[in-house]
Amino acid sequence: DQERANRRKLGGGSQPTFAPDGRTLAFVPNDGGLATISVDGGNRRILLTDETGSVNRPRWSSDGKRIAFMRQDRRGRWHVWTIRPDGGAPRQLTTGARPEADPAWSADGKLIAFARQAQNGLWHLFVVPRGGGPLRRITELGTSDSHPSFTPDGKSIVFVRQQGSRFSLVQQSLAGGGRELRTAPLRDAAEPAVSPTGDQLAFVARR
């Protein structure tokens, strides 16, 4: 059928994500590391191998000049890194003893939001400049906050909040102050994604 005819196998891997121009994918190869490939199957480039540490969740900046990703150190802790899509030395943006997850670029490509787990097991949201620098903590409550997604204007973040067995979606300004978004009761939630126009929100959940 037509759907099958339009399929194109590009190779083995997972977690594919399109570059802003739609011509290239970044992905995690089956043997680990990080790679890019053109959508026509050519120009495959290995950016990192698994020998330098496990990699997941690649994410392109809006200008296509950097790819953010999570990288695991030798102690098993995940931190935020970036690399140019044409290769070069990767840049580590975060350090520390606590694991991190869920990198997300702001629309202007100046900030990366991510979640960091505290000693009490709860997750909190931070932002870091694209070139590295001081972290800014965004959430402060005694809740577990994860899966950030910037609004198109870059002024606020939508994320998943867990309080006990209750999950909700929250929108919070980077300047402080947030509001719970109205949804049906959720047993869990993940991966909120704000549309480019800012008027729609997609997410994964069980009811």
Side-chain angles (χ1 to χ4, degrees), residues 27-197:
F27 68 101
V28 177
N30 285 340
D31 55 357
L34 181 66
T36 59
I37 192 169
S38 298
V39 295
D40 62 6
N43 299 319
R44 180 184 172 108
R45 183 190 299 269
I46 301 296
L47 303 180
L48 296 169
T49 65
D50 195 47
E51 296 175 357
T52 57
S54 297
V55 171
N56 71 19
R57 300 184 69 84
R59 298 289 185 267
W60 292 83
S61 62
S62 57
D63 59 11
K65 295 181 178 180
R66 304 292 294 188
I67 301 171
F69 58 95
M70 303 305 303
R71 191 180 195 183
Q72 192 176 37
D73 64 23
R74 294 180 180 178
R75 296 184 179 182
R77 299 172 301 201
W78 293 90
H79 295 298
V80 182
W81 293 67
T82 67
I83 193 170
R84 295 197 318 269
D86 59 355
R91 178 183 297 163
Q92 185 172 1
L93 302 188
T94 64
T95 60
R98 307 307 305 168
E100 298 164 351
D102 307 334
W105 288 95
S106 60
D108 61 9
K110 294 181 179 180
L111 295 173
I112 300 173
F114 64 96
R116 172 180 282 179
Q117 190 177 37
Q119 286 186 321
N120 62 5
L122 298 180
W123 292 83
H124 303 290
L125 299 183
F126 295 77
V127 293
V128 62
R130 70 179 286 161
L135 307 184
R136 179 151 56 102
R137 183 168 168 171
I138 302 302
T139 56
E140 300 284 351
L141 299 175
T143 56
S144 200
D145 301 321
S146 60
H147 299 283
S149 177
F150 276 93
T151 55
D153 62 11
K155 296 180 179 180
S156 61
I157 294 175
V158 175
F159 57 91
V160 174
R161 170 162 289 169
Q162 181 181 2
Q163 194 164 16
S165 61
R166 182 179 182 272
F167 290 79
S168 59
L169 296 170
V170 175
Q171 181 173 343
Q172 181 165 317
S173 169
L174 295 185
R179 65 185 180 93
E180 183 174 320
L181 302 178
R182 297 182 61 185
T183 62
L186 304 174
R187 286 192 292 167
D188 62 14
E191 306 290 350
V194 183
S195 68
T197 55

